[in-house]
Amino acid sequence: MILVTGASGNVGRNIVEELLAAGERVRAIARDPAKCNLPGEVEVVAADLSRPETLERALRGVERLYLWPAFGELQGAVDAAVRAGVQHVVLLSSEAVTYAAGEPHIACEKAVAESGMSWTFLRPSAFMSNDLLWIPQIAKDGVVHGVYGSASMIPIHERDIAAVAVKSLLSVTSGAIHSITGPQSLSQAERVRMLGEALGIETRFQEVPRERVRKQMLMYLSESVADQVLAVRASMRGVIGTALPTVEIVTGRPPYTYAEWIAHHEAEFRPVLQL
């Protein structure tokens, strides 16, 4: 039995689908199973990572676990997994562990590494799916507002993260750390342009003052983390990153391109096209 946490998210949902296609028995947790809309073959148990006392039933008989990084709340879940006899954990971490702003992810990795369980860490680059947050702005006037439009990153498709996770669940290698990226370094401005070209509409990136963005970030981040994130983005201006071959090495196929990601999310972008 494989337990998938965060199963209704962008990555988790793809992990569930791949595991089912491989003939695996899959269990998932959800605060409200009636709302998670997972395939009928999945056993969905009402539980919450932030409430370890709810995990006993979900972990019963589980050998391998895909773990979503519940910041500040993961230790109890890790302890529950140890008590339940889980043998291997695949943790979704982040490339941010190499930055000062990655402290929450570092804490999650530490909790798993010190648990005594076998583990694999996934450290993906920025998610392509983060760009879905641009849809309201594109729908309004085609203009995406942000800071450091020339800052480049190597975004990754959530399907590629899921594919590496599934390989790590099915072919256990203890202590493996997979740093994974997409195939191409792209700036924010370039991605906005590519979205417009794919959708057949006029789009552009509009630079806004750093302090305006910082003020918005402080609604959900501490001052220190917000400043660290902005500093990292500033350091990426005009920098062409190097794509890693991890996805192809682990899965046997190349990672999806940004253009392919846009095509895979046609349904989400369709309302924009109808304006």
Side-chain angles (χ1 to χ4, degrees):
M1 176 66 74
I2 298 175
L3 176 64
V4 178
T5 64
S8 60
N10 289 320
V11 177
R13 190 172 294 277
N14 281 285
I15 290 174
V16 166
E17 291 177 357
E18 285 207 31
L19 288 173
L20 291 176
E24 297 294 326
R25 295 173 59 211
V26 180
R27 184 181 295 157
I29 66 170
R31 291 190 180 95
D32 186 349
K35 294 181 179 180
C36 64
N37 192 32
L38 291 171
E41 305 97 307
V42 179
E43 179 188 352
V44 183
V45 177
D48 187 337
L49 282 178
S50 65
R51 297 171 57 209
E53 69 277 7
T54 68
L55 296 171
E56 181 180 354
R57 179 188 168 201
L59 288 164
R60 192 174 300 141
V62 169
E63 296 180 355
R64 287 159 286 171
L65 168 66
Y66 168 75
L67 193 54
W68 174 260
F71 298 148
E73 300 174 336
L74 200 67
Q75 187 64 60
V78 169
D79 293 342
V82 171
R83 290 193 299 271
V86 172
Q87 298 172 16
H88 187 72
V89 177
V90 175
L91 173 70
L92 179 63
S93 185
S94 169
E95 68 171 2
V97 297
T98 61
Y99 311 138
E103 291 177 2
H105 286 287
I106 292 172
C108 290
E109 288 192 2
K110 184 173 184 289
V112 173
E114 294 180 351
S115 69
M117 292 183 291
S118 169
W119 54 264
T120 298
F121 296 156
L122 309 182
R123 294 178 178 172
S125 57
F127 289 19
M128 292 180 183
S129 57
N130 290 342
D131 293 356
L132 293 172
L133 297 174
W134 290 342
I135 289 178
Q137 296 185 74
I138 293 174
K140 181 181 178 181
D141 57 9
V143 180
V144 173
H145 299 83
V147 69
Y148 307 136
S150 63
S152 291
M153 54 191 68
I154 313 174
I156 186 168
H157 196 312
E158 61 273 16
R159 291 187 185 179
D160 290 326
I161 302 171
V164 175
V166 168
K167 289 292 185 181
S168 300
L169 287 165
L170 299 183
S171 300
V172 173
T173 302
S174 181
I177 298 176
H178 294 310
S179 296
I180 46 181
T181 72
Q184 184 180 13
S185 181
L186 295 167
S187 70
Q188 294 184 90
E190 287 172 326
R191 301 201 309 276
V192 170
R193 175 184 55 77
M194 292 175 69
L195 278 167
E197 291 174 352
L199 300 173
I201 60 177
E202 291 290 331
T203 57
R204 63 185 175 88
F205 186 91
Q206 178 64 55
E207 198 79 25
V208 299
R210 176 185 181 279
E211 284 307 309
R212 175 177 161 186
V213 173
R214 183 178 184 274
K215 185 176 180 180
Q216 294 171 340
M217 294 173 70
L218 291 179
M219 296 174 64
Y220 55 91
L221 294 175
S222 69
E223 287 191 14
S224 62
V225 172
D227 288 339
Q228 290 165 5
V229 170
L230 287 170
V232 169
R233 289 183 183 176
S235 71
M236 293 176 172
R237 288 176 292 183
V239 176
I240 305 300
T242 301
L244 300 176
T246 313
V247 171
E248 186 160 11
I249 290 172
V250 174
T251 70
R253 63 162 178 77
Y256 291 110
T257 66
Y258 192 72
E260 288 173 316
W261 174 83
I262 296 172
H264 292 160
H265 286 274
E266 179 187 354
E268 287 95 329
F269 286 110
R270 191 173 295 125
V272 174
L273 299 175
Q274 294 172 348
L275 295 177

